[in-house]
Amino acid sequence: MKPIRWGILGTGSIAKAFAKALNETDGELYAVASNTLNRAIEFSQSYKCKAIEGYDNLISMDEIDAIYVATPHTSHFELSAKCLMNKKPVLCEKPMTINATETMALIDLSRKYKTLLMEAFMYKIHPQTQRVIELIKERLKGPLQIKAEFCFSVDVPETHRLVNRDLGGGSILDIGCYPLSISRHAVGAVNDLNFMNPISIEANGELNDQNIDLNASASLVFEDGSTSEIKSATNMQTNSNVEISDGKDTVFINQPWHCGEFTERKSQIRIQNQLGEDEFVDIETEKGIYAIEIDHFSECLKNHEIESSLVPHNDSHGNMIALDSWRKNLKIVYDDDRGEKRRIPIVQDISKRESLPTLKISGIDKDLSRIVFGCDNQSDTNHAFAMFDHFYKNGGNVFDTAYIYNDGKSDYYLGSWLESRDLREEVVILGKGAHTPDCLPEKIRPQLEETLSRMSTSYLDIYCLHRDNESLPVTDFIDELNALKDEGLIKVFGASNWSLSRFKEANEYAKSQGKEPFSVLSNNFSLARMNNPVWPGCYSCSEDNYVDYLRENNVAIFPWSSQARGFFLDSQEFTGLAHVADPNQEEQKRVWGSDDNLERRSRCFELATRKGVDPIQLALAFVLHQEFPSFPLIGPRNFFETESSLQASKISLTRNEISWLNLK
Ligand SMILES: NC(=O)c1ccc[n+]([C@@H]2O[C@H](COP(=O)([O-])OP(=O)(O)OC[C@H]3O[C@@H](n4cnc5c(N)ncnc54)[C@H](OP(=O)(O)O)[C@@H]3O)[C@@H](O)[C@H]2O)c1
C-alpha cells in the first residue's frame, strides 16, 4: 500500500502535534496550508512538507489523500464541507462543528459524497478508553453515578480562540465535549449500547464579557436513571479526573483525556470495590495518542468506510446536540446558531430543486407537495432554516405550523425563513389556532392576527381550528371562519381533531346557508389505528365510516402522526439519527398496541422487505395511496428523517396491497 499523503489545514498547536505524530505512522505529511504564506513556509520547514497559501488551494490538490482540519471551531463546518465536496476524506478536530445542525449537514455530505468523515476525538480511540468501557460492561450495573471534569487555567488575551466568541470560544465547546462524551459512553456501556444521550441537562457557569463560558458545569440525567456531574474550565485548574460508580464498584481514571501521553505513555485505571479494596489495570502503549488516532483513521480509509466504528457519526451528532443544550442553558449563542446571521448557509443552492409529487386543492392556486413539513420540532433558527431549506430543495412547499407550537416560535421561524428566502408566494402555509382552552369563536381572530404578524404575512393559505369545542354550536365556528375568509386573511379553512358527526354537521350547516364549508381535515390518519388519543381531545379519521365520508365528499386530509409516531420504525434503525416521537413504551402500548395494529405492523414489515424499502416509508406510502386527497404531515428532526420520508412518495402500492395492509 502507498502511504496516505496528508494535508493539514492550520499551523497552530494541534497541527504541530499532529505533524509530529505522523512520523510514528505509515502516513506522509504532504502539505500544510495557512492563511498566511509565511506561516505555511515556517511550518513546512520544521515538518518537511509543501507550503500552501490558502486552505482552498490545498483542498483541491490531487496529490492529497486525506485532510486534517486543525483550525478554530468556527471554521470546521466550512472547511470539512469543502473537503467532502472534493471527495477528500477528512479528520476534523473536535468539536466537529459549532452546533449540531452543522454536524448533521457534514454527515449528510459524507453520505452523499461517500467520503470518510471522522471527528478527531483522540481519547476515544486510545486502548485506555476501550479498556474503561470493557470494565464498565464487566463490573458495573446501571444506573451509574458519574463525575467527569476537564479543567485548566490559562491566561490568554480576549482575542484568543479559547475565550473569543467569534472563534467559538468557551470551555464547553473546547473541553466540555470530553466529560460529556465519556458520560454518554459509560451510560451506553451499561445499557449494551455504544452511547446514550442525556434526557435532561441543567447547567451553571461563569461567562466573560463576550458571553462566553470561562467555566461551566452540568448535571446530566439519563433515561435509565444514571446521572453525571460534568465540568469544564479554562480559568480554573482541577485534577480533571473521571469517576464512574454503580454504588458498589467505582472506576477511577486519572488520565482520562491524554491517556498517559505526558507520562511516558503509561497510565492506570483503578477499580475500587464496596469494601474499599483497590485493583489496578495498567495501560501502556508504544505509540502516542495522536499516532493511534491516525492509524485508526487510515484503517477506516483503507476499508473504504465513511465513518469510524469508534467515533461514529451518530455519536458525534449526539454529543453536539447535548453540547447545544448545555450552552443554551447558559444562553451562550454564536452567530452561526442564528439562521439569519450565518456566514455560510447550511444548505446551498436551494433554487436547484428536486421534484416531489404535487396535487391541487380547490381554493388554492399553487401546487401542493404531497408531503407536508411539520414545524414544531426546530431547536433554533439555524436548525429551522436548515431543515426548511432542505425540505424545499427536495421539492416540498407545504409547511404546517400552529399558534401554540414551540411557544409561538414555530410561526416565527417559518416567517423569518420565508422572508429571508423571499419564498412566501411559492409556499403553502397551513396554520392552526384556537386550541383548547381557547377553542372559542372570539379567540380565532386575535390568534390568527398574531400568527400573521409573527410571520410578517397578510394571509394563510390554509387555516384549521386546532381543536373542537363540543359545548358550542358548529354554526358559530363556521360563521367566524367565513368572515375571515371573506376578508382575505385565509384562503381555505378546515378543522383539526373534529369528530365525523361534528365535521358533517358543520358542513351541512354551511351548505344550507350558502356559506363556505370546511374543505380540509387535519386529524390523525395512519396505517396504525389510534386506539386511544395521543393527547386529550384528539381525533383520528382512520375508521371506516370516516374514510367513506372523506372519499364520497373528496375531502383533502392533512393527517398528523402519519407514521404513527415511530410505531413502524425498526428498532435497529434507531441509531441516534432517527427518532421515535415518544420512545416511551407506555404511549406505544396505549395508543397503538392492539392486536390488529401489531398485525398491520407485521404485514408492513413483510411487504417492505419484499419491496426493498423501510417499513416506516411503506407506512407513509399507505397514507399517500388513499381514495381521497391526502397530504401527510411529517415531523423530522434531521435531514435523514426528511429524506427517508420523502422516499415514500416513490413507492407504488396496488389496491390489493393497500387492502391487505389494512386487514381488509
Ligand atoms: N484533540 C486535541 O487534543 C486538541 C488539542 C488542542 C486543540 N484541538 C482542537 O484543534 C483546533 C485548533 O486548536 P489549536 O489549539 O491548534 O489552535 P491554535 O493554536 O490557535 O491554532 C489554530 C490555527 O488555525 C488557523 N486559523 C484559521 N483561522 C483562524 C483565526 N481566525 N484565528 C486564529 N487562527 C486561525 C491558524 O493557522 P493559519 O492561519 O496559519 O492557517 C492557527 O494557527 C480547535 O478546534 C481545538 O478544539 C484539539
Side-chain angles (χ1 to χ4, degrees), residues 562-575:
S562 58
Q563 291 157 304
R565 295 171 65 74
F567 183 70
F568 295 98
L569 199 60
D570 184 341
S571 58
Q572 298 302 314
E573 287 172 56
F574 185 60
T575 60

Side-chain angles (χ1 to χ4, degrees), residues 478-541:
I478 290 290
D479 292 348
E480 181 64 13
L481 291 168
N482 269 268
L484 297 169
K485 180 177 156 54
D486 291 346
E487 284 174 48
L489 298 182
I490 53 182
K491 301 263 183 215
V492 158
F493 63 82
S496 179
N497 297 304
W498 276 52
S499 70
L500 176 58
S501 58
R502 290 273 291 179
F503 191 87
K504 259 189 196 167
E505 191 187 338
N507 280 7
E508 277 159 15
Y509 162 72
K511 279 177 195 152
S512 72
Q513 301 297 307
K515 295 195 172 198
E516 189 74 19
F518 288 138
S519 46
V520 306
L521 174 72
S522 181
N523 282 12
N524 166 253
F525 184 91
S526 69
L527 176 56
R529 302 242 180 131
M530 192 169 81
N531 301 321
N532 287 295
V534 180
W535 307 281
C538 283
Y539 279 93
S540 150
C541 57

Side-chain angles (χ1 to χ4, degrees), residues 133-150:
I133 297 297
E134 280 166 17
L135 285 168
I136 294 171
K137 286 186 176 169
E138 288 162 14
R139 306 287 283 269
L140 305 188
K141 283 200 174 68
L144 300 177
Q145 300 86 49
I146 303 167
K147 275 192 218 154
E149 296 185 355
F150 195 165

Side-chain angles (χ1 to χ4, degrees), residues 22-81:
L22 262 174
N23 291 324
E24 288 190 76
T25 72
D26 295 334
E28 174 190 331
L29 178 55
Y30 191 82
V32 66
S34 167
N35 282 315
T36 314
L37 184 59
N38 278 347
R39 277 207 297 274
I41 292 173
E42 207 180 301
F43 190 102
S44 74
Q45 285 167 347
S46 302
Y47 298 98
K48 311 284 174 268
C49 61
K50 280 186 193 299
I52 309 292
E53 184 178 14
Y55 301 138
D56 290 359
N57 292 328
L58 186 148
I59 293 171
S60 59
M61 283 172 79
D62 289 339
E63 304 91 308
I64 301 275
D65 300 317
I67 293 180
Y68 174 57
V69 176
T71 53
H73 321 329
T74 34
S75 53
H76 290 182
F77 169 68
E78 180 184 3
L79 296 176
S80 298

Side-chain angles (χ1 to χ4, degrees), residues 298-312:
S298 308
E299 200 57 33
C300 296
L301 199 52
K302 283 177 189 157
N303 293 333
H304 308 288
E305 311 280 3
I306 64 159
E307 63 181 316
S308 143
S309 57
L310 298 178
V311 198

Side-chain angles (χ1 to χ4, degrees), residues 11-14 34-35 39 55 72-73 76 93-94 161 290:
T11 56
S13 62
I14 197 64
S34 167
N35 282 315
R39 277 207 297 274
Y55 301 138
H73 321 329
H76 290 182
E93 258 312 333
K94 42 53 57 179
R161 71 165 189 85
Y290 299 110

